[in-house]
Amino acid sequence: MNAADHPTDLAPATTVLGPPLVLQAIPLFAGLSDAECAALDRRMRRVDFIPQTVIVREGSADESAFFVVSGCVAVRRTDAASGIEFTLAELGPGQVFGEMALLTKKPRTATVVALEATTCAVLGQTQFEQVLREHPALTRSIMTMLAGRLDLANAHAGIDFLNLSRIRVDPRVLQLLPLPVINQHRIIPLAFCNNRLTLAMTNPNNIVAFDDVRRLLKGVMIEPAVITEDDFRRFMTGSYPQARPARTEPGRPSADRVAKPLNSTRPPAEPEPAVTQATQPDALSTVDLLQSDLIRELQLTAGAEVVETKQDLMSASEDAPIIRLANSILGLAIRRGASDIHVEPMEQDVTVRFRVDGVLQIVERLPRKVQLGLISRLKIISRLDISEKRLPQDGRISVTMDGKPIDFRVSTVPGKWGEKVCMRILDKSNTNIGLDRLITHAPTLAEVRELAAQPHGIIYVTGPTGSGKTTTLYSTLAEINVPGVNISTVEDPIEYDLAGVTQIQVKPEIGLTFAAVLRAFLRQDPDVLLVGETRDKDTARTAVEAALTGHLVLTSLHTNSAAAAFTRLGEMGIESFLVSSSTIAVIAQRLVRRLCRACREPYAADSAALAFFGLPAGTELYRGRGCVECSGKGLRGRIGIYEVLRMHAPIRSMVGSGADAQAIHEAGRQHGMIDLKNYAALLLAGGDTTVEEVMNVVSTD
Ligand SMILES: [Zn+2]
């Protein structure tokens, strides 16, 4: 009966007990004396797990608690609705898991897997009871620990604690569940939209409640939020009788997939957000969380599904959970501000990764059984041929979220384990981030604005992929986009919509190349031309001709430094005298992640780092502590690093005579150019970013 004697089905080697010091390192036992720790340690078994061992399995019945002595484990739980396994938490030394089973003697509610070689001290039921008798003080420590663990698990599962007194609940939503069900499970329906019900629960692990609610509201997706018992009681005695109107209003469900509830009450009449912001300003974050649930606003733009044929309808992709899964992925990506989504079949699973602030991160590992349906679904809504799995394809999804149009550019490539889908998010409303938000250094901002006001010539914006060239180009264009200025663009792809601007997408397969479009534009005599990218000689030459015939041309070029642009143009076959006479400036740029304003803190920087950036010894730099605002990363959003090389007369003559990039760079510096490294130093000293961030982008030059 002693569970500790049969800890797991993959029972690893048991080792001899270690010294009591290890237990004392665990906060829970910090209050115990050496002798007490030693006594306790004698009761606990030390067990080693090799990586990927399942230490406890969801649903299994054993009643031991595990204290991580060394190593790292992942706590995972399967979502009953989708069958998807979510990682709730990763635990390291000093942290504990499995304690719920110890207290409740119920089956495991989560699976715990060793991520690396891990040693745990195992406390069984019998020993646990003995320990509590001998050390009553431990009870309090356990309570504190449990509260902490609950917090953590909830945070990682995306479940938030709510304070009901700060939320106005829509009476129509309240009527979705009958009073007996509300009382039995101590749950409160808060918001309902697009088939998702936000459900305040005193116990978010109450599986029976989930089942009962799903029986009443067929097919509903439940998004749990946690409330305290006290809060529930206060709400039911205070707000509930008032909030629930005596008469019911006629109305239709906001999402037609929801079946009429079994009881006689009526569903909400409109899909408007049911939870509204209360007056307290600190209620904002919680309410924000519910309202910013953009997934419920995610709707395919009308007509996007027209291409679905009868054959499509019979395919696995028409499975409703798959549709929801696909929508959730798109919605989540937008909500997290991702720029790319990668859905990649692997040997074991389908890995979903987002690129956020330029960094690719794993969001979810989906079971392989969803692969076919999910990939097909994404292909259908992107108007791709779902039967073609061997060739790469390109397409587009248009969605609206919160009334904002958002395009996804979708491409598929056949991979070893199936088709990989890559989606790039093109936020059309993101046209004008504002040059002043990109360029935080005032003199540089003024210089770029002055350059953009020139009547003719070429401005090149250079940098590697993902350095934000396009954003800078568009933001510059947006500033000079006034009535009376004739602007045309040729792009691949058209990333943002610009009002009042003629935008053309290149189609090389029909001869509509950058150069061909440019030549056509020139016949219409525009004032300003934006050429998405100068990739080839034809484009480069036509752009030069345009600049020399009185047009302002903005374009991007793939080079590391500003000065290297001239080398690149030379390689493309553009004569140096043409380059020197047409160019007015080259702007090199990078994007780095920005320090979180909420948690950045100064520190005494390493003297070598300061010297590298030419900063005086003793300069304080900044780093992020990590907080809720930045999801603990210490970094949030991005900031640009700029290097503006202007064509002062000496530099123009150097370019004309084919001087090398290094010499031009040096000459630029002598004429006051702030290079990428100097600019990075300004950002560092200003507490805008970290040494680690800028090292990646400036040390390679
Ligand atoms: Zn922060």
Side-chain angles (χ1 to χ4, degrees), residues 440-607:
T440 48
H441 181 242
T444 303
L445 175 63
E447 187 161 35
V448 171
R449 282 185 164 149
E450 190 208 321
L451 288 168
Q454 301 292 313
H456 53 82
I458 304 186
I459 300 173
Y460 294 96
V461 178
T462 77
T465 304
S467 57
K469 299 187 291 282
T470 311
T471 311
T472 299
L473 285 173
Y474 276 90
S475 301
T476 307
L477 213 52
E479 288 208 347
I480 54 180
N481 182 17
V482 291
V485 176
N486 180 0
I487 301 178
S488 300
T489 76
V490 48
E491 304 165 68
D492 184 27
I494 295 175
E495 298 203 26
Y496 307 115
D497 282 349
L498 283 171
V501 172
T502 311
Q503 294 177 275
I504 295 196
Q505 161 81 51
V506 301
K507 291 195 184 75
E509 64 274 19
I510 58 164
L512 203 57
T513 60
F514 274 114
V517 175
L518 257 182
R519 279 192 290 271
F521 275 154
L522 287 178
R523 289 193 287 274
Q524 300 193 343
D525 201 30
D527 303 307
V528 181
L529 285 161
L530 181 140
V531 181
E533 190 183 343
T534 299
R535 288 181 201 166
D536 53 65
K537 181 178 181 178
D538 256 9
T539 309
R541 178 168 291 279
T542 316
V544 166
E545 281 166 17
L548 292 175
T549 52
H551 308 90
L552 180 67
V553 181
L554 304 176
T555 187
S556 74
L557 202 58
H558 204 98
T559 69
N560 276 337
S561 70
F566 305 116
T567 317
R568 181 89 189 86
L569 289 165
E571 285 164 2
M572 282 182 184
I574 310 301
E575 295 84 346
S576 45
F577 76 91
L578 285 177
V579 175
S580 73
S581 50
S582 59
T583 306
I584 50 179
V586 185
I587 303 170
Q589 84 166 91
R590 300 289 188 275
L591 281 183
V592 291
R593 288 185 289 175
R594 192 179 201 139
L595 263 170
C596 172
R597 296 261 147 186
C599 67
R600 66 173 179 179
E601 59 184 14
Y603 70 100
D606 175 57
S607 57

Side-chain angles (χ1 to χ4, degrees), residues 646-655 671:
R646 296 192 66 154
M647 298 296 276
H648 298 290
I651 291 168
R652 195 175 293 282
S653 74
M654 284 177 84
V655 172
H671 283 81

Side-chain angles (χ1 to χ4, degrees), residues 375 379 384 388-389 391-395 410-414 419-422:
I375 303 283
K379 286 169 77 178
L384 300 180
E388 178 54 79
K389 297 186 168 73
L391 294 174
Q393 295 187 66
D394 280 301
V410 184
S411 63
T412 66
V413 287
E419 277 177 295
K420 176 189 169 166
V421 176
C422 178

Side-chain angles (χ1 to χ4, degrees), residues 595-600 624-636:
L595 263 170
C596 172
R597 296 261 147 186
C599 67
R600 66 173 179 179
R625 232 181 3 257
C627 68
V628 287
E629 302 255 314
C630 56
S631 312
K633 285 187 291 219
L635 298 160
R636 192 181 181 209

Side-chain angles (χ1 to χ4, degrees), residues 228-411:
T228 63
E229 294 274 356
D230 272 357
D231 210 7
F232 176 80
R233 272 193 297 275
R234 265 196 302 273
F235 183 84
M236 292 309 290
T237 52
S239 313
Y240 185 81
Q242 297 159 22
R244 201 181 153 103
R247 59 184 172 79
T248 57
E249 298 162 306
R252 289 284 311 135
S254 55
D256 50 4
R257 282 198 300 272
V258 174
K260 196 171 156 48
L262 294 183
N263 66 325
S264 62
T265 57
R266 291 180 194 274
E270 289 159 34
E272 66 182 33
V275 179
T276 46
Q277 194 179 321
T279 45
Q280 294 91 328
D282 55 347
L284 196 66
S285 59
T286 300
V287 172
D288 247 8
L289 182 89
L290 292 171
Q291 287 199 327
S292 74
D293 178 14
L294 298 171
I295 291 168
R296 65 190 171 195
E297 298 301 330
L298 179 70
Q299 288 160 352
L300 288 166
T301 302
E305 298 200 46
V306 170
V307 287
E308 292 185 37
T309 62
K310 197 178 170 205
Q311 186 202 340
D312 298 331
L313 292 172
M314 293 188 300
S315 73
S317 58
E318 276 306 303
D319 213 9
I322 288 292
I323 293 176
R324 286 201 298 265
L325 178 62
N327 286 357
S328 306
I329 290 171
L330 303 185
L332 193 63
I334 296 170
R335 185 161 58 172
R336 295 209 181 155
S339 58
D340 302 272
I341 306 169
H342 298 250
V343 180
E344 195 168 6
M346 310 293 267
E347 186 174 7
Q348 305 290 345
D349 53 39
V350 180
T351 304
V352 179
R353 293 186 296 175
F354 291 171
R355 189 185 298 282
V356 179
D357 293 340
V359 179
L360 211 51
Q361 47 194 241
I362 292 178
V363 178
E364 212 56 74
R365 294 184 192 279
L366 303 170
R368 285 213 57 170
K369 64 181 180 201
V370 307
Q371 178 180 330
L372 200 63
L374 178 61
I375 303 283
S376 298
R377 178 66 194 165
L378 294 173
K379 286 169 77 178
I380 285 171
I381 56 182
S382 325
R383 305 176 190 221
L384 300 180
D385 177 359
I386 62 163
S387 62
E388 178 54 79
K389 297 186 168 73
R390 298 153 306 163
L391 294 174
Q393 295 187 66
D394 280 301
R396 234 171 150 127
I397 306 176
S398 284
V399 302
T400 57
M401 197 178 263
D402 277 352
K404 229 169 76 169
I406 295 164
D407 274 14
F408 292 82
R409 191 179 207 221
V410 184
S411 63

